[in-house]
Amino acid sequence: MSIKVPLLDLQAQYAPLRDALIAAVTRVCDSQRFIMGPEITALEEELAAFLGIRHAVAVSSGTDALLLALMALDIRAGDEVVTTTYSFFATAGAIVRVGARPVLVDIDPATFNIDPAAAAAAITPRTKAILPVHLFGLSADLDPLVAAASRAGVPIIEDAAQAIGATYKSRPLGGIGAFGCFSFFPSKNLGAFGDAGLITTNDDALAKRARLLRTHGMEPKYYHHLVGGNFRMDALQAAVLRVKAPHLAAWTDARRANAHRYLTRFRDEGLGDRLTLPVEPPGRRHIYNQFVIRTAERDALKRHLDDRGIGNEIYYPVPFHLQPCFSDLGYRRGAFPHAERAAETSLALPIYGEMTAEQQDAVVDAVAQFVSRRAGVPAS
Ligand SMILES: *Cc1c(COP(=O)(O)O)cnc(C)c1O
């Protein structure tokens, strides 16, 4: 009968690389060098070259990359950081953790990314940075954000956790703002065997500061210039990532091919006006960490897919301004209608590169079946 399709199948990516990955892990174990050292240095060089950004600093997670970027820019209590209300929690969480205030703005409903005009309008004399997220693997609209940031004299920090290898007008994400922050959480396009992250910059002085803060502001040993933290990536994770990174470009191509296949098939099935499909505006290369569709009947579609064993996920059910832990920021329901609507209507479908054509057909058929049964119910 119908086949089941997981949202993500890490086993399918692991199987052909298993021997190389085990050999890399064994190499670190045999060296007994777990903290910093040659694996970290080599990974940083390889990723900087791959991304086309001058400096890459390996860190403990994407969350810590954001925290470290904010600390390196000296953002602290009393400061404001303009960001989107619609992202994974870490984006706003990191701002609060340095004592600053996230000034939230609504999204462009077509791309799910921060609305640049709303971001510009949210700038005040207390603004110390703008923090756009390249959500789902698609670049935020950077030119107007860069213009607004430079008018205000503040840096941009790119949350590129979901967007490794994506570009904006042919420029690599993570190298346009003062800092780029990446995550190697296993479900990201380049996933480690646990937590790991990366901070990138084209600025030599900022790179130096980030490296210093990564290890308690210490240089040389036991002499501390800044109060940083322990934000180091494990050598074991670096060794794993070095095996996987050379495959990233091909994996991204496979995700893009799957996305195009979805778009073609959904349109062929006549679902184009029943579902809102993801867009790739000119000049922005999407890497499809997620393939997110929208429908007013999202919850019913989710149940339909769950019942048929078709993986799916809601990214994200609650925007930041409605999260209990941010209630003291004073935002109300209705403040950011596009993000609130996205939280009610968006659903991610399986897009991983190893998905077979048969599996993808099963996803399309299940969605098409749902839509045809619902014919007559108003679309989104
Ligand atoms: C995954 C993610 C993070 C956090 O990365 P971790 O490595 O899980 O700490 C931050 N921002 C966004 C947009 C993410 O998707």
Side-chain angles (χ1 to χ4, degrees), residues 166-203:
T167 55
Y168 180 78
K169 300 192 174 171
S170 305
R171 296 166 68 196
L173 298 187
I176 295 170
F179 281 119
C181 302
F182 295 88
S183 167
F184 303 120
F185 184 81
S187 69
K188 304 296 161 83
N189 284 23
L190 179 58
F193 282 4
D195 284 307
L198 189 78
I199 179 162
T200 53
T201 181
N202 281 307
D203 183 304

Side-chain angles (χ1 to χ4, degrees), residues 61-63 66 87-88 90-91 133 159 161-162 183-185 188 196 316:
S61 70
T63 302
L66 289 164
S87 174
F88 175 63
T91 310
V133 180
D159 183 340
Q162 301 181 4
S183 167
F184 303 120
F185 184 81
K188 304 296 161 83
Y316 295 93

Side-chain angles (χ1 to χ4, degrees), residues 187-238:
S187 69
K188 304 296 161 83
N189 284 23
L190 179 58
F193 282 4
D195 284 307
L198 189 78
I199 179 162
T200 53
T201 181
N202 281 307
D203 183 304
D204 298 347
L206 286 180
K208 202 170 160 208
R209 233 176 119 77
R211 286 183 190 286
L212 204 54
L213 287 164
R214 171 173 63 179
T215 310
H216 293 299
M218 181 167 80
E219 178 59 45
K221 223 175 187 179
Y222 309 128
Y223 289 80
H224 299 266
H225 306 272
L226 299 165
V227 179
N230 172 2
F231 298 125
R232 295 181 297 255
M233 183 193 289
D234 286 337
L236 280 166
Q237 300 300 347

Side-chain angles (χ1 to χ4, degrees), residues 7 22 83 105-106 115 119 140 143 153-154 165 192 217 243 270 282 309 344 350 369-370:
L7 182 65
I22 301 289
T83 194
V105 303
D106 209 350
D115 174 342
D143 277 351
V154 301
V243 173
E344 290 163 0
Q369 185 190 44
F370 173 82

Side-chain angles (χ1 to χ4, degrees), residues 39 137 166 240 250 332 335:
E39 299 287 349
V240 166
R332 298 258 178 283

